[in-house]
Amino acid sequence: MYTDSLATRNTVASQMRSLAQMGQPSIDIELNDQRGAYMSSYTTSDRLHGQVSITAPHDSRFDDIHITLEGSSKTFVENLSATSTINSRSRAFHTFLKLTQPITESQYPQPRVAEAGRTYEFPFTFVIPDQLLPTSCSHKCESEQLHQAHLQLPPSLGDPELAGDGTKLLDDMAPKMSRISYAIKVKITRHRESDGKEILLADKAKKLRIVPASEEEPPVNVEDNSRDYVMRREKTLKKGIFKGKLGRVSMEAAQPKAAVLAPPNALSPCPTTTMAKVVLRFDPASEDVVPPRLGVLASKLKANTYFASTPMKEYSAPANAYLERNRGLFSDTVPLSSRCVESAKWERHDAGETLRRDSAFSVMSTTSDTVLPKPSAGYSGEAFYTATLVVPVTLPKDKAFVPTFHSCLVARIYQLELSLSLHRPGSSMTTSTLHLCLPLQVSAASNAEAVTPAATAEREADAFFQPRAISVPSEDFLGTATALLPGQSAVANIGTNAPPGYSFFAGASHGMPVRIPSPEGFSPGCG
């Protein structure tokens, strides 16, 4: 009985909405360069050209038509309480971008009455900005760097109707508690005669998928006692239960270079790939101990989405995700690869060999093979062994990845998890497993035809420093100098003009030219 009553109320409400909309003008938003079968995807500096078509079923008076490109973020956080059975929910909404298409007076009908059955078209043009206005982030931040990060355009996130690669819908690994949306919105309004209040006559929105271009940021500064990342791990290996030690093994790696996503709708056949370099060191307990046998190296990628109902004042990290009640974290782990690395060779180093440790190892994963990791806690000063493993990191195509970003309410970072199994010499059983957790940045490339301010400035700088050709002038320009030295008459100068790099001195060689040595690095006649 209750179900029938509820269905009846829903039907009546639907009919009432249909009747109310019958008298509204219909709005159609079209893009000239519609991209993708499922969505319209764009990136930084892309131009959006299109038109808005408005048709009224009957004569309708209006005052204004608003065409805007808007970007907004929406979040909610469940506030769980241990003392109460009722859970509260805090929400937040932030419009960080709003671009308005100007409409001239000549484009409006005069008077402003939409005639029944007539279609009015209003063209629009928007350019995806590469940065937001400073007013978009007005709250306090722990650093200026974070404030600048909040002023970068965030990618579309959390909308199941838009997440994808431009050809099909995919999971972008975002929770329902966070959403970042872009849309072209159209509103037709009229001012009420009694009090002048603006009344909405009709509105419509067309969703857009935006993946802004982003450059690779400096590596994350990871402390030794970090709770978010593990860049180095050591472990003692034993011969067996109640037996002596084989030695101590260490495993370390640096932050890989960023994985660069292709521009939207590029349809690149190549997957998004980067590389991680892992360096192993084995310090044996005695000279007769050989290194352990390497097993399987597995890699996983964890996507962490942070959301809050109040502006974030510091960089998001797993360690501070739950420090405040109005903040949450959603993580999704994607397996990448599992490879047998038994064929990797250990290299023996004598005790007297200098421990070369390149300072670039802490920030680059492509350092030379001569870099040696620091000794383990069990190093006895004798010979030791090292091995290097190169781990390809390829983002799977069954997920929709977005660039790493930090905004006022939502953030996304990635962690690369590596695990390596080790076996005792002569045994097939796993003796131990080492784990690392590295920061991994995902960035996005821009369209080749997009003319960004940064690209323009870079081209101008390259042109300025482009080497110029420096050579001796042609003979056609020699002997034509007319500049006079102090005390020299124009009559005396006739027929005695010297090529550049020469001058006349009073009483020197009876008026014959005297060679002046050119400054070092300059050719004669260069001025």
Side-chain angles (χ1 to χ4, degrees), residues 118-416:
R118 182 177 177 181
T119 300
Y120 300 87
E121 293 187 352
F122 300 89
F124 62 82
T125 299
F126 294 108
V127 178
I128 306 299
D130 61 342
Q131 193 172 10
L132 302 174
L133 294 176
T135 54
S136 299
C137 176
S138 57
H139 64 89
K140 293 183 178 180
C141 297
E142 65 174 4
S143 64
E144 178 62 23
Q145 183 181 5
L146 178 62
H147 177 68
Q148 293 300 322
H150 285 186
L151 295 181
Q152 303 303 312
L153 211 65
S156 300
L157 187 73
D159 192 339
E161 298 180 359
L162 295 180
D165 61 354
T167 60
K168 56 183 177 296
L169 297 179
L170 299 172
D171 179 20
D172 61 1
M173 298 173 288
K176 62 180 181 180
M177 291 81 75
S178 62
R179 177 171 294 190
I180 297 178
S181 305
Y182 292 89
I184 296 177
K185 297 184 177 181
V186 179
K187 294 182 179 179
I188 305 175
T189 60
R190 185 180 65 189
H191 297 287
R192 193 161 54 191
E193 297 179 357
S194 58
D195 54 3
K197 183 179 179 180
E198 190 176 68
I199 301 175
L200 180 64
L201 299 180
D203 65 336
K204 192 172 184 179
K206 185 178 184 63
K207 294 182 179 181
L208 302 173
R209 177 176 177 263
I210 294 181
V211 183
S214 59
E215 298 182 354
E216 183 175 4
E217 296 292 334
V220 178
N221 184 22
V222 181
E223 303 292 340
D224 293 338
N225 58 349
S226 173
R227 293 183 296 171
D228 302 323
Y229 305 104
V230 180
M231 313 298 290
R232 177 183 171 89
R233 182 80 73 181
E234 292 186 11
K235 186 168 290 188
T236 300
L237 302 181
K238 295 184 178 181
K239 298 179 181 179
I241 302 176
F242 307 114
K243 294 183 179 181
K245 298 179 180 179
L246 288 173
R248 193 167 179 84
V249 64
S250 64
M251 175 182 177
E252 64 179 276
Q255 177 177 340
K257 291 185 177 180
V260 183
L261 301 173
N265 307 299
L267 302 180
S268 174
C270 301
T272 302
T273 306
T274 185
M275 202 78 68
K277 185 176 182 180
V278 178
V279 180
L280 305 174
R281 173 171 175 146
F282 177 66
D283 296 326
S286 59
E287 285 288 342
D288 59 339
V289 176
V290 297
R293 186 165 55 87
L294 303 181
V296 175
L297 179 60
S299 60
K300 296 185 295 184
L301 185 63
K302 178 182 286 187
N304 298 316
T305 305
Y306 302 86
F307 51 94
S309 57
T310 57
M312 300 182 188
K313 300 179 181 179
E314 64 277 334
Y315 277 104
S316 301
N320 60 15
Y322 299 102
L323 294 181
E324 300 179 14
R325 294 181 56 189
N326 53 8
R327 186 177 300 181
L329 166 63
F330 178 83
S331 299
D332 193 357
T333 302
V334 180
L336 297 181
S337 64
S338 181
R339 303 172 183 272
C340 179
V341 293
E342 184 178 2
S343 60
K345 302 298 183 182
W346 288 95
E347 180 182 358
R348 188 179 186 276
H349 301 271
D350 295 331
E353 188 172 347
T354 304
L355 299 181
R356 300 181 300 276
R357 185 175 178 83
D358 196 337
S359 61
F361 181 78
S362 60
V363 297
M364 295 290 291
S365 64
T366 58
T367 53
S368 62
D369 293 336
T370 59
V371 176
L372 300 179
K374 66 180 181 179
S376 65
Y379 181 55
S380 59
E382 302 297 333
F384 60 94
Y385 299 84
T386 62
T388 302
L389 305 176
V390 178
V391 186
V393 179
T394 302
L395 304 186
K397 290 191 174 183
D398 59 347
K399 297 288 184 180
F401 289 88
V402 299
T404 303
F405 73 95
H406 297 269
S407 67
C408 296
L409 298 179
V410 186
R412 166 66 68 84
I413 66 172
Y414 296 93
Q415 294 173 303
L416 178 62

